[in-house]
Amino acid sequence: MPRSLLAIVLVLLVLHQDNWFWTDDTLVFGFMPMGLFYQACISVAASFAWFYAVKKCWPSAHDSEAGAGGES
Amino acid sequence: MIQFWIILGYLGLLLLLGLFASRLFRGTSSDYMVASHSIGPFLLLMSVFGTTMTAFALVGSTGEAFKEGIGVYGMLASSSGIIHSLCFFLLGVKLWGFGKRYGYKTQIQFFRDRLDSDRIGLLLFPILVGLVIPYLLIGVISSGVVMQTMTAGAFPNLFPTDNIATSGGLPTQWGSLLICLVVLCYVFFGGMRGTAWANAFQTLVFMVLGIATFGVIANKLGGQESLWENLRVLGEAIPENRATRADMSKTKFLTYLLVPLSVGMFPHLFQHWLTAKSAKSFKLPVVAHPIFIMIVWVPCVLIGVWATTELVPARPPLPANPNAILPFLVKTQAGTLLGGFLAVGILAAIMSSLDSQFLCLGTMFTKDIVGHYFQRDASDANQIRLARGFIIAVVTLTYLLGLLKPPSVFALGVWCFSGFSSLFPLVFAALYWKRLTKWGAYGAVLATVATWGYFFSDAIGQAIKVGNPGPIRTYTLKLNLGGEAYEIMPVAAIFLASLIAMVAASLLTRPPKPETLKKFFAD
């Protein structure tokens, strides 16, 4: 795994342990508890991180192998 | 009665889809077991997502949020968004490459080759099957319960019960049988292609219906003019201990991160990975999986914490079982039509996991036992016959076991995941560590079995002591450091034991043969 991706995943895992919002009862947008909103943002950030991974760190060695046929 | 007909209509649609998929069947065992490696990005995303999201994603997430508050999202959902995609990226793509190159259909075929050990298959087979069976049982039993609850009142004279919530509903054994037969039909005829198509369709169904249910329940409970206003009123009513994680252990939350690693060793997911048309097909599932989890889980968690507010009518009273909260709210707040569709959504989530597990166990019996020891030169037609026979046997056995209604089977869920997670070091090392030996693999598996067995028997002992299965579900370890006791999930200790045993045994034994390493580490 490239170091940049390893660093991103580690940062995500550290950010996931959000001790700083543990007892924060603020409602984001007036209805969403802060802890839930923050963790939903982690989900979005994970998607961005994996988007970066498939763009910059994709193991191209396997790309030449393709299956027979296809449904998408 | 409307709900019953909606469910029947949906099951009919699934059968049609399975039959249509069977028309594209190419008659080979590779087509039956891994769809001839022909599944593109969208179908792969939907089928893999549908397989990893069980009924727990809809019903269990609401129930857990009702009990524990919003913290369950971070513990179970956002962590999975990071870890599942990590497994698809690090393991899925590589395993797909080896499967394609060397013709693997099961995990055990890969491990036998990579570790140069025939017996590792004999050791892994009962463990993998043993960990999948309770998972299957949960699906089979849940489907019967959902069918009975959601059709309650449809047949008042035929199926009366003492409980108003289930009276007149299709009996659980009939509901489970109906679901098992429908899944069996499309898996039997459509093989992996039928399963992938059905999974994709069912994933769409439960995602769309989940969001629709969220909107309807918010509007009904909030009682205001607009959805936005209703969300605001409901948000303000959430009790503090449900809107925060004040009652949740930070170390338990942290160690729960290891649980989603289980997807790396799920045999049914391995088989889905092999269906990919190319390595590039993995890109969409890797990126979209965390967002899909969020789309399903955030509404369910919010509904769960809303159910703890005073805005929920006092009559009829909320059910005692947290897993019944979502069906209860739909039934009392959303009316019969949406109730029918939500039942379909829950059944879709159940069936989209059951089908892959049935097919996977059928494939494992065919390839890893009969094909490996008794019929090495079996023709394609014979292999398909065998796989279909085993699928029928697995469905029948699971259904019959489900009739026994094992009392603590639902509490077993997290234990199954912990077992698979603790075998993660094995699959990771098999792909990335040349020094892994078969003795290292034995060490990992045996350490997992020993520590898992120790903690599990301790949990059972506690359950017997208190007379209910609760401690099996809530079992944690206490780690004493600097005078403080920290609560951690047993998976942390089992995982560590597995890792240490694997590394130590590998380093103490002779390295693998150069030709084996060349086969798996050429690039």
Side-chain angles (χ1 to χ4, degrees):
Chain A
M1 182 155 65
R3 281 184 190 170
S4 58
L5 181 58
L6 183 66
I8 290 173
V9 172
L10 286 177
V11 167
L12 267 180
L13 292 175
V14 171
L15 291 177
H16 175 264
Q17 183 69 27
D18 60 330
N19 292 355
W20 45 91
F21 287 137
W22 212 258
T23 52
D24 191 329
D25 61 355
T26 309
L27 291 174
V28 182
F29 306 127
F31 77 93
M32 189 114 151
M34 176 55 96
L36 181 60
F37 176 76
Y38 176 86
Q39 290 293 334
C41 290
I42 290 285
S43 295
V44 176
S47 242
F48 275 110
W50 293 116
F51 181 73
Y52 169 81
V54 301
K55 285 285 172 199
K56 302 286 181 193
C57 318
W58 192 248
S60 55
H62 293 296
D63 279 356
S64 53
E65 296 177 86
E71 288 133 54
S72 58
Chain B
M1 201 66 175
I2 295 172
Q3 293 169 329
F4 179 70
W5 289 114
I6 292 173
I7 294 170
L8 271 196
Y10 176 72
L11 296 180
L13 261 179
L14 270 183
L15 285 178
L16 282 179
L17 195 73
L19 288 177
F20 182 69
S22 73
R23 292 173 69 96
L24 299 173
F25 180 44
R26 298 174 190 172
T28 64
S29 61
S30 174
D31 201 60
Y32 193 75
M33 293 167 187
V34 293
S36 301
H37 308 288
S38 67
I39 302 295
F42 180 69
L43 261 185
L44 189 67
L45 163 68
M46 301 306 274
S47 59
V48 165
F49 183 70
T51 301
T52 52
M53 291 293 121
T54 59
F56 189 81
L58 291 180
V59 179
S61 56
T62 309
E64 286 295 313
F66 175 76
K67 268 191 313 185
E68 311 272 352
I70 53 103
V72 297
Y73 183 87
M75 204 155 79
L76 299 160
S78 57
S79 56
S80 298
I82 303 169
I83 304 286
H84 286 186
S85 289
L86 180 75
C87 290
F88 302 164
F89 184 84
L90 288 182
L91 310 179
V93 179
K94 258 186 178 280
L95 288 170
W96 171 83
F98 291 134
K100 180 106 186 47
R101 208 175 303 158
Y102 304 123
Y104 302 137
K105 306 285 183 293
T106 69
Q107 275 172 320
I108 287 176
Q109 289 179 313
F110 162 72
F111 282 118
R112 276 183 166 141
D113 266 12
R114 166 63 183 88
L115 299 166
D116 257 332
S117 168
D118 199 54
R119 288 190 187 138
I120 192 73
L122 281 181
L123 180 64
L124 273 176
F125 186 84
I127 293 168
L128 295 178
V129 172
L131 289 173
V132 171
I133 293 277
Y135 200 179
L136 267 173
L137 274 176
I138 292 171
V140 169
I141 296 172
S142 307
S143 62
V145 172
V146 170
M147 287 286 278
Q148 186 180 44
T149 311
M150 299 313 269
T151 58
F155 309 100
N157 299 323
L158 269 179
F159 309 121
T161 66
D162 294 337
N163 186 344
I164 192 167
T166 56
S167 188
L170 204 62
T172 52
Q173 66 272 26
W174 287 38
S176 292
L177 180 66
L178 188 61
I179 295 301
C180 282
L181 285 176
V182 170
V183 174
L184 175 65
C185 277
Y186 70 75
V187 174
F188 185 93
F189 290 110
M192 180 48 99
R193 183 173 286 103
T195 301
W197 284 25
N199 273 358
F201 174 62
Q202 306 206 79
T203 303
L204 272 178
V205 166
F206 75 70
M207 287 179 81
V208 170
L209 291 176
I211 293 169
T213 305
F214 173 76
V216 171
I217 290 180
N219 281 335
K220 195 79 186 190
L221 288 180
Q224 308 295 311
E225 288 291 312
S226 67
L227 176 64
W228 191 257
E229 195 60 17
N230 286 320
L231 291 175
R232 200 187 54 72
V233 169
L234 284 162
E236 285 170 358
I238 302 171
E240 194 186 334
N241 65 344
R242 296 298 194 280
T244 67
R245 281 159 286 177
D247 298 338
M248 189 174 274
S249 154
K250 286 177 183 161
T251 42
K252 184 180 171 186
F253 185 88
L254 176 67
T255 50
Y256 226 99
L257 262 178
L258 292 169
V259 175
L261 286 172
S262 52
V263 300
M265 273 302 286
F266 280 167
H268 47 287
L269 201 59
F270 176 90
Q271 203 171 346
H272 268 290
W273 287 340
L274 294 185
T275 66
K277 186 178 172 186
S278 68
K280 286 176 184 166
S281 302
F282 281 86
K283 290 184 178 179
L284 184 61
V286 165
V287 175
H289 194 81
I291 297 283
F292 271 39
I293 293 178
M294 184 185 78
I295 292 171
V296 172
W297 275 72
V298 167
C300 289
V301 168
L302 280 172
I303 292 174
V305 290
W306 292 343
T308 63
T309 67
E310 289 175 352
L311 293 172
V312 176
R315 296 249 160 227
L318 284 168
N321 175 8
N323 288 338
I325 294 289
L326 183 64
F328 171 84
L329 285 178
V330 169
K331 211 152 174 132
T332 55
Q333 305 298 314
T336 50
L337 195 64
L338 184 66
F341 283 115
L342 181 79
V344 162
I346 298 171
L347 291 174
I350 295 172
M351 287 190 282
S352 63
S353 300
L354 276 183
D355 50 13
S356 308
Q357 291 158 344
F358 284 144
L359 180 65
C360 165
L361 291 186
T363 305
M364 285 171 70
F365 275 108
T366 306
K367 286 286 182 186
D368 297 330
I369 302 296
V370 179
H372 189 76
Y373 291 107
F374 305 105
Q375 296 189 16
R376 275 185 181 264
D377 301 319
S379 66
D380 253 4
N382 205 15
Q383 287 188 45
I384 296 166
R385 258 196 303 276
L386 272 172
R388 284 177 164 163
F390 278 123
I391 290 166
I392 293 176
V394 169
V395 174
T396 309
L397 178 72
T398 316
Y399 175 71
L400 292 176
L401 283 174
L403 290 183
L404 300 175
K405 292 186 184 155
S408 51
V409 70
F410 288 89
L412 288 181
V414 74
W415 288 96
C416 293
F417 284 107
S418 299
F420 283 120
S421 301
S422 304
L423 293 172
F424 174 87
L426 174 61
V427 66
F428 184 82
L431 292 170
Y432 291 98
W433 192 38
K434 290 181 183 175
R435 196 61 183 76
L436 172 72
T437 67
K438 67 177 176 185
W439 298 110
Y442 284 131
V445 176
L446 294 175
T448 296
V449 171
T451 46
W452 188 95
Y454 174 77
F455 293 132
F456 187 58
S457 56
D458 190 30
I460 289 182
Q462 291 184 18
I464 291 170
K465 213 180 211 173
V466 297
N468 74 67
I472 300 177
R473 195 184 63 79
T474 57
Y475 186 83
T476 52
L477 306 176
K478 300 282 184 292
L479 182 68
N480 290 306
L481 281 177
E484 289 269 345
Y486 297 97
E487 199 179 2
I488 61 169
M489 292 296 291
V491 66
I494 307 171
F495 184 93
L496 196 63
S498 166
L499 182 66
I500 291 171
M502 182 185 76
V503 172
S506 290
L507 293 177
L508 289 172
T509 50
R510 195 180 298 167
K513 288 187 234 162
E515 54 267 34
T516 305
L517 293 180
K518 199 175 165 196
K519 192 173 170 183
F520 292 97
F521 293 92
D523 49 347

PDB file of all heavy atoms in Angstrom, chain B residues 330-359:
ATOM      1  N   VAL B 330     -43.514   1.374  11.869  1.00  0.00           N
ATOM      2  CA  VAL B 330     -44.102   1.380  10.526  1.00  0.00           C
ATOM      3  C   VAL B 330     -45.569   0.979  10.610  1.00  0.00           C
ATOM      4  O   VAL B 330     -46.440   1.600  10.006  1.00  0.00           O
ATOM      5  CB  VAL B 330     -43.321   0.422   9.598  1.00  0.00           C
ATOM      6  CG1 VAL B 330     -44.068   0.223   8.297  1.00  0.00           C
ATOM      7  CG2 VAL B 330     -41.943   0.987   9.319  1.00  0.00           C
ATOM      8  N   LYS B 331     -45.807  -0.071  11.369  1.00  0.00           N
ATOM      9  CA  LYS B 331     -47.176  -0.581  11.464  1.00  0.00           C
ATOM     10  C   LYS B 331     -48.118   0.433  12.115  1.00  0.00           C
ATOM     11  O   LYS B 331     -49.254   0.611  11.675  1.00  0.00           O
ATOM     12  CB  LYS B 331     -47.163  -1.880  12.278  1.00  0.00           C
ATOM     13  CG  LYS B 331     -48.226  -2.801  11.824  1.00  0.00           C
ATOM     14  CD  LYS B 331     -47.970  -4.243  12.021  1.00  0.00           C
ATOM     15  CE  LYS B 331     -49.285  -4.875  11.603  1.00  0.00           C
ATOM     16  NZ  LYS B 331     -49.338  -5.897  10.791  1.00  0.00           N
ATOM     17  N   THR B 332     -47.626   1.121  13.161  1.00  0.00           N
ATOM     18  CA  THR B 332     -48.520   2.026  13.892  1.00  0.00           C
ATOM     19  C   THR B 332     -48.540   3.437  13.288  1.00  0.00           C
ATOM     20  O   THR B 332     -49.513   4.162  13.460  1.00  0.00           O
ATOM     21  CB  THR B 332     -48.100   2.140  15.369  1.00  0.00           C
ATOM     22  OG1 THR B 332     -46.730   2.536  15.428  1.00  0.00           O
ATOM     23  CG2 THR B 332     -48.285   0.829  16.094  1.00  0.00           C
ATOM     24  N   GLN B 333     -47.464   3.833  12.578  1.00  0.00           N
ATOM     25  CA  GLN B 333     -47.379   5.217  12.105  1.00  0.00           C
ATOM     26  C   GLN B 333     -47.580   5.357  10.597  1.00  0.00           C
ATOM     27  O   GLN B 333     -47.903   6.426  10.104  1.00  0.00           O
ATOM     28  CB  GLN B 333     -46.016   5.828  12.460  1.00  0.00           C
ATOM     29  CG  GLN B 333     -45.660   5.770  13.927  1.00  0.00           C
ATOM     30  CD  GLN B 333     -46.635   6.549  14.790  1.00  0.00           C
ATOM     31  OE1 GLN B 333     -46.994   7.679  14.491  1.00  0.00           O
ATOM     32  NE2 GLN B 333     -47.103   5.928  15.857  1.00  0.00           N
ATOM     33  N   ALA B 334     -47.289   4.296   9.845  1.00  0.00           N
ATOM     34  CA  ALA B 334     -47.248   4.490   8.392  1.00  0.00           C
ATOM     35  C   ALA B 334     -48.378   3.811   7.632  1.00  0.00           C
ATOM     36  O   ALA B 334     -48.500   3.987   6.429  1.00  0.00           O
ATOM     37  CB  ALA B 334     -45.900   3.987   7.875  1.00  0.00           C
ATOM     38  N   GLY B 335     -49.169   3.007   8.285  1.00  0.00           N
ATOM     39  CA  GLY B 335     -50.298   2.393   7.591  1.00  0.00           C
ATOM     40  C   GLY B 335     -49.918   1.118   6.858  1.00  0.00           C
ATOM     41  O   GLY B 335     -48.742   0.746   6.766  1.00  0.00           O
ATOM     42  N   THR B 336     -50.961   0.455   6.322  1.00  0.00           N
ATOM     43  CA  THR B 336     -50.762  -0.891   5.786  1.00  0.00           C
ATOM     44  C   THR B 336     -49.941  -0.931   4.487  1.00  0.00           C
ATOM     45  O   THR B 336     -49.140  -1.828   4.298  1.00  0.00           O
ATOM     46  CB  THR B 336     -52.121  -1.568   5.532  1.00  0.00           C
ATOM     47  OG1 THR B 336     -52.911  -0.670   4.780  1.00  0.00           O
ATOM     48  CG2 THR B 336     -52.815  -1.937   6.814  1.00  0.00           C
ATOM     49  N   LEU B 337     -50.181   0.037   3.603  1.00  0.00           N
ATOM     50  CA  LEU B 337     -49.500  -0.023   2.300  1.00  0.00           C
ATOM     51  C   LEU B 337     -47.982   0.092   2.472  1.00  0.00           C
ATOM     52  O   LEU B 337     -47.221  -0.754   1.997  1.00  0.00           O
ATOM     53  CB  LEU B 337     -50.021   1.099   1.395  1.00  0.00           C
ATOM     54  CG  LEU B 337     -49.686   0.939  -0.072  1.00  0.00           C
ATOM     55  CD1 LEU B 337     -50.340  -0.295  -0.660  1.00  0.00           C
ATOM     56  CD2 LEU B 337     -50.092   2.177  -0.861  1.00  0.00           C
ATOM     57  N   LEU B 338     -47.547   1.150   3.198  1.00  0.00           N
ATOM     58  CA  LEU B 338     -46.103   1.311   3.410  1.00  0.00           C
ATOM     59  C   LEU B 338     -45.574   0.159   4.256  1.00  0.00           C
ATOM     60  O   LEU B 338     -44.446  -0.306   4.054  1.00  0.00           O
ATOM     61  CB  LEU B 338     -45.789   2.655   4.081  1.00  0.00           C
ATOM     62  CG  LEU B 338     -44.293   2.922   4.229  1.00  0.00           C
ATOM     63  CD1 LEU B 338     -43.619   3.084   2.873  1.00  0.00           C
ATOM     64  CD2 LEU B 338     -44.031   4.130   5.086  1.00  0.00           C
ATOM     65  N   GLY B 339     -46.423  -0.325   5.176  1.00  0.00           N
ATOM     66  CA  GLY B 339     -46.028  -1.476   6.001  1.00  0.00           C
ATOM     67  C   GLY B 339     -45.675  -2.667   5.124  1.00  0.00           C
ATOM     68  O   GLY B 339     -44.682  -3.354   5.357  1.00  0.00           O
ATOM     69  N   GLY B 340     -46.491  -2.894   4.102  1.00  0.00           N
ATOM     70  CA  GLY B 340     -46.226  -3.997   3.165  1.00  0.00           C
ATOM     71  C   GLY B 340     -44.912  -3.784   2.448  1.00  0.00           C
ATOM     72  O   GLY B 340     -44.101  -4.699   2.317  1.00  0.00           O
ATOM     73  N   PHE B 341     -44.685  -2.557   2.008  1.00  0.00           N
ATOM     74  CA  PHE B 341     -43.437  -2.283   1.282  1.00  0.00           C
ATOM     75  C   PHE B 341     -42.224  -2.369   2.210  1.00  0.00           C
ATOM     76  O   PHE B 341     -41.162  -2.814   1.796  1.00  0.00           O
ATOM     77  CB  PHE B 341     -43.502  -0.914   0.590  1.00  0.00           C
ATOM     78  CG  PHE B 341     -44.331  -0.946  -0.658  1.00  0.00           C
ATOM     79  CD1 PHE B 341     -45.515  -0.222  -0.766  1.00  0.00           C
ATOM     80  CD2 PHE B 341     -43.939  -1.718  -1.738  1.00  0.00           C
ATOM     81  CE1 PHE B 341     -46.292  -0.276  -1.919  1.00  0.00           C
ATOM     82  CE2 PHE B 341     -44.697  -1.778  -2.894  1.00  0.00           C
ATOM     83  CZ  PHE B 341     -45.875  -1.056  -2.989  1.00  0.00           C
ATOM     84  N   LEU B 342     -42.397  -1.920   3.467  1.00  0.00           N
ATOM     85  CA  LEU B 342     -41.245  -2.015   4.379  1.00  0.00           C
ATOM     86  C   LEU B 342     -40.921  -3.482   4.677  1.00  0.00           C
ATOM     87  O   LEU B 342     -39.754  -3.877   4.728  1.00  0.00           O
ATOM     88  CB  LEU B 342     -41.481  -1.287   5.704  1.00  0.00           C
ATOM     89  CG  LEU B 342     -40.218  -1.431   6.554  1.00  0.00           C
ATOM     90  CD1 LEU B 342     -39.146  -0.461   6.114  1.00  0.00           C
ATOM     91  CD2 LEU B 342     -40.474  -1.315   8.004  1.00  0.00           C
ATOM     92  N   ALA B 343     -41.980  -4.308   4.804  1.00  0.00           N
ATOM     93  CA  ALA B 343     -41.745  -5.746   5.011  1.00  0.00           C
ATOM     94  C   ALA B 343     -40.912  -6.282   3.853  1.00  0.00           C
ATOM     95  O   ALA B 343     -39.976  -7.060   4.048  1.00  0.00           O
ATOM     96  CB  ALA B 343     -43.077  -6.482   5.104  1.00  0.00           C
ATOM     97  N   VAL B 344     -41.250  -5.837   2.656  1.00  0.00           N
ATOM     98  CA  VAL B 344     -40.491  -6.239   1.467  1.00  0.00           C
ATOM     99  C   VAL B 344     -39.030  -5.783   1.594  1.00  0.00           C
ATOM    100  O   VAL B 344     -38.101  -6.540   1.291  1.00  0.00           O
ATOM    101  CB  VAL B 344     -41.149  -5.638   0.201  1.00  0.00           C
ATOM    102  CG1 VAL B 344     -40.187  -5.637  -0.967  1.00  0.00           C
ATOM    103  CG2 VAL B 344     -42.406  -6.422  -0.150  1.00  0.00           C
ATOM    104  N   GLY B 345     -38.824  -4.556   2.070  1.00  0.00           N
ATOM    105  CA  GLY B 345     -37.466  -4.019   2.228  1.00  0.00           C
ATOM    106  C   GLY B 345     -36.650  -4.858   3.212  1.00  0.00           C
ATOM    107  O   GLY B 345     -35.498  -5.193   2.955  1.00  0.00           O
ATOM    108  N   ILE B 346     -37.279  -5.221   4.342  1.00  0.00           N
ATOM    109  CA  ILE B 346     -36.560  -6.017   5.349  1.00  0.00           C
ATOM    110  C   ILE B 346     -36.253  -7.411   4.791  1.00  0.00           C
ATOM    111  O   ILE B 346     -35.147  -7.928   4.927  1.00  0.00           O
ATOM    112  CB  ILE B 346     -37.386  -6.117   6.658  1.00  0.00           C
ATOM    113  CG1 ILE B 346     -37.588  -4.725   7.261  1.00  0.00           C
ATOM    114  CG2 ILE B 346     -36.690  -7.020   7.664  1.00  0.00           C
ATOM    115  CD1 ILE B 346     -38.575  -4.686   8.423  1.00  0.00           C
ATOM    116  N   LEU B 347     -37.264  -7.999   4.128  1.00  0.00           N
ATOM    117  CA  LEU B 347     -37.043  -9.330   3.553  1.00  0.00           C
ATOM    118  C   LEU B 347     -35.955  -9.278   2.482  1.00  0.00           C
ATOM    119  O   LEU B 347     -35.154 -10.213   2.338  1.00  0.00           O
ATOM    120  CB  LEU B 347     -38.353  -9.880   2.965  1.00  0.00           C
ATOM    121  CG  LEU B 347     -39.423 -10.237   3.994  1.00  0.00           C
ATOM    122  CD1 LEU B 347     -40.734 -10.627   3.301  1.00  0.00           C
ATOM    123  CD2 LEU B 347     -38.959 -11.390   4.882  1.00  0.00           C
ATOM    124  N   ALA B 348     -35.916  -8.166   1.730  1.00  0.00           N
ATOM    125  CA  ALA B 348     -34.887  -8.012   0.686  1.00  0.00           C
ATOM    126  C   ALA B 348     -33.499  -8.023   1.319  1.00  0.00           C
ATOM    127  O   ALA B 348     -32.569  -8.655   0.807  1.00  0.00           O
ATOM    128  CB  ALA B 348     -35.112  -6.713  -0.084  1.00  0.00           C
ATOM    129  N   ALA B 349     -33.365  -7.307   2.447  1.00  0.00           N
ATOM    130  CA  ALA B 349     -32.063  -7.261   3.127  1.00  0.00           C
ATOM    131  C   ALA B 349     -31.685  -8.650   3.640  1.00  0.00           C
ATOM    132  O   ALA B 349     -30.517  -9.058   3.555  1.00  0.00           O
ATOM    133  CB  ALA B 349     -32.114  -6.261   4.283  1.00  0.00           C
ATOM    134  N   ILE B 350     -32.676  -9.400   4.137  1.00  0.00           N
ATOM    135  CA  ILE B 350     -32.393 -10.757   4.640  1.00  0.00           C
ATOM    136  C   ILE B 350     -31.979 -11.673   3.490  1.00  0.00           C
ATOM    137  O   ILE B 350     -30.967 -12.369   3.542  1.00  0.00           O
ATOM    138  CB  ILE B 350     -33.635 -11.345   5.360  1.00  0.00           C
ATOM    139  CG1 ILE B 350     -33.958 -10.542   6.626  1.00  0.00           C
ATOM    140  CG2 ILE B 350     -33.418 -12.811   5.702  1.00  0.00           C
ATOM    141  CD1 ILE B 350     -35.269 -10.929   7.295  1.00  0.00           C
ATOM    142  N   MET B 351     -32.797 -11.642   2.417  1.00  0.00           N
ATOM    143  CA  MET B 351     -32.561 -12.592   1.322  1.00  0.00           C
ATOM    144  C   MET B 351     -31.277 -12.301   0.560  1.00  0.00           C
ATOM    145  O   MET B 351     -30.640 -13.211   0.036  1.00  0.00           O
ATOM    146  CB  MET B 351     -33.765 -12.586   0.370  1.00  0.00           C
ATOM    147  CG  MET B 351     -34.967 -13.271   0.964  1.00  0.00           C
ATOM    148  SD  MET B 351     -36.275 -13.534  -0.239  1.00  0.00           S
ATOM    149  CE  MET B 351     -36.973 -11.920  -0.331  1.00  0.00           C
ATOM    150  N   SER B 352     -30.873 -11.004   0.505  1.00  0.00           N
ATOM    151  CA  SER B 352     -29.677 -10.666  -0.266  1.00  0.00           C
ATOM    152  C   SER B 352     -28.411 -11.180   0.420  1.00  0.00           C
ATOM    153  O   SER B 352     -27.341 -11.187  -0.191  1.00  0.00           O
ATOM    154  CB  SER B 352     -29.588  -9.160  -0.503  1.00  0.00           C
ATOM    155  OG  SER B 352     -29.468  -8.481   0.717  1.00  0.00           O
ATOM    156  N   SER B 353     -28.515 -11.603   1.676  1.00  0.00           N
ATOM    157  CA  SER B 353     -27.363 -12.259   2.322  1.00  0.00           C
ATOM    158  C   SER B 353     -27.527 -13.773   2.291  1.00  0.00           C
ATOM    159  O   SER B 353     -26.571 -14.506   2.060  1.00  0.00           O
ATOM    160  CB  SER B 353     -27.238 -11.804   3.777  1.00  0.00           C
ATOM    161  OG  SER B 353     -27.055 -10.420   3.826  1.00  0.00           O
ATOM    162  N   LEU B 354     -28.779 -14.234   2.502  1.00  0.00           N
ATOM    163  CA  LEU B 354     -29.027 -15.682   2.536  1.00  0.00           C
ATOM    164  C   LEU B 354     -28.599 -16.363   1.241  1.00  0.00           C
ATOM    165  O   LEU B 354     -27.957 -17.410   1.261  1.00  0.00           O
ATOM    166  CB  LEU B 354     -30.535 -15.945   2.719  1.00  0.00           C
ATOM    167  CG  LEU B 354     -31.130 -15.937   4.113  1.00  0.00           C
ATOM    168  CD1 LEU B 354     -32.614 -16.302   4.047  1.00  0.00           C
ATOM    169  CD2 LEU B 354     -30.414 -16.916   5.023  1.00  0.00           C
ATOM    170  N   ASP B 355     -28.947 -15.740   0.104  1.00  0.00           N
ATOM    171  CA  ASP B 355     -28.683 -16.396  -1.180  1.00  0.00           C
ATOM    172  C   ASP B 355     -27.187 -16.640  -1.391  1.00  0.00           C
ATOM    173  O   ASP B 355     -26.767 -17.737  -1.773  1.00  0.00           O
ATOM    174  CB  ASP B 355     -29.288 -15.593  -2.351  1.00  0.00           C
ATOM    175  CG  ASP B 355     -28.925 -14.124  -2.342  1.00  0.00           C
ATOM    176  OD1 ASP B 355     -28.016 -13.736  -1.593  1.00  0.00           O
ATOM    177  OD2 ASP B 355     -29.550 -13.354  -3.102  1.00  0.00           O
ATOM    178  N   SER B 356     -26.348 -15.644  -1.087  1.00  0.00           N
ATOM    179  CA  SER B 356     -24.910 -15.783  -1.282  1.00  0.00           C
ATOM    180  C   SER B 356     -24.349 -16.851  -0.355  1.00  0.00           C
ATOM    181  O   SER B 356     -23.448 -17.609  -0.728  1.00  0.00           O
ATOM    182  CB  SER B 356     -24.186 -14.466  -0.983  1.00  0.00           C
ATOM    183  OG  SER B 356     -24.777 -13.435  -1.703  1.00  0.00           O
ATOM    184  N   GLN B 357     -24.887 -16.907   0.870  1.00  0.00           N
ATOM    185  CA  GLN B 357     -24.377 -17.885   1.837  1.00  0.00           C
ATOM    186  C   GLN B 357     -24.765 -19.311   1.437  1.00  0.00           C
ATOM    187  O   GLN B 357     -23.955 -20.236   1.539  1.00  0.00           O
ATOM    188  CB  GLN B 357     -24.888 -17.543   3.238  1.00  0.00           C
ATOM    189  CG  GLN B 357     -24.256 -16.268   3.765  1.00  0.00           C
ATOM    190  CD  GLN B 357     -25.067 -15.613   4.866  1.00  0.00           C
ATOM    191  OE1 GLN B 357     -26.233 -15.903   5.068  1.00  0.00           O
ATOM    192  NE2 GLN B 357     -24.443 -14.704   5.575  1.00  0.00           N
ATOM    193  N   PHE B 358     -26.008 -19.477   0.952  1.00  0.00           N
ATOM    194  CA  PHE B 358     -26.421 -20.814   0.478  1.00  0.00           C
ATOM    195  C   PHE B 358     -25.532 -21.260  -0.683  1.00  0.00           C
ATOM    196  O   PHE B 358     -25.027 -22.381  -0.710  1.00  0.00           O
ATOM    197  CB  PHE B 358     -27.882 -20.792   0.009  1.00  0.00           C
ATOM    198  CG  PHE B 358     -28.899 -20.780   1.126  1.00  0.00           C
ATOM    199  CD1 PHE B 358     -30.081 -20.051   0.999  1.00  0.00           C
ATOM    200  CD2 PHE B 358     -28.695 -21.506   2.287  1.00  0.00           C
ATOM    201  CE1 PHE B 358     -31.029 -20.038   2.015  1.00  0.00           C
ATOM    202  CE2 PHE B 358     -29.635 -21.501   3.312  1.00  0.00           C
ATOM    203  CZ  PHE B 358     -30.803 -20.761   3.181  1.00  0.00           C
ATOM    204  N   LEU B 359     -25.351 -20.369  -1.649  1.00  0.00           N
ATOM    205  CA  LEU B 359     -24.552 -20.718  -2.835  1.00  0.00           C
ATOM    206  C   LEU B 359     -23.108 -21.033  -2.430  1.00  0.00           C
ATOM    207  O   LEU B 359     -22.497 -21.980  -2.929  1.00  0.00           O
ATOM    208  CB  LEU B 359     -24.578 -19.558  -3.843  1.00  0.00           C
ATOM    209  CG  LEU B 359     -23.783 -19.783  -5.122  1.00  0.00           C
ATOM    210  CD1 LEU B 359     -24.368 -20.924  -5.943  1.00  0.00           C
ATOM    211  CD2 LEU B 359     -23.745 -18.519  -5.981  1.00  0.00           C
TER     212      LEU B 359
END
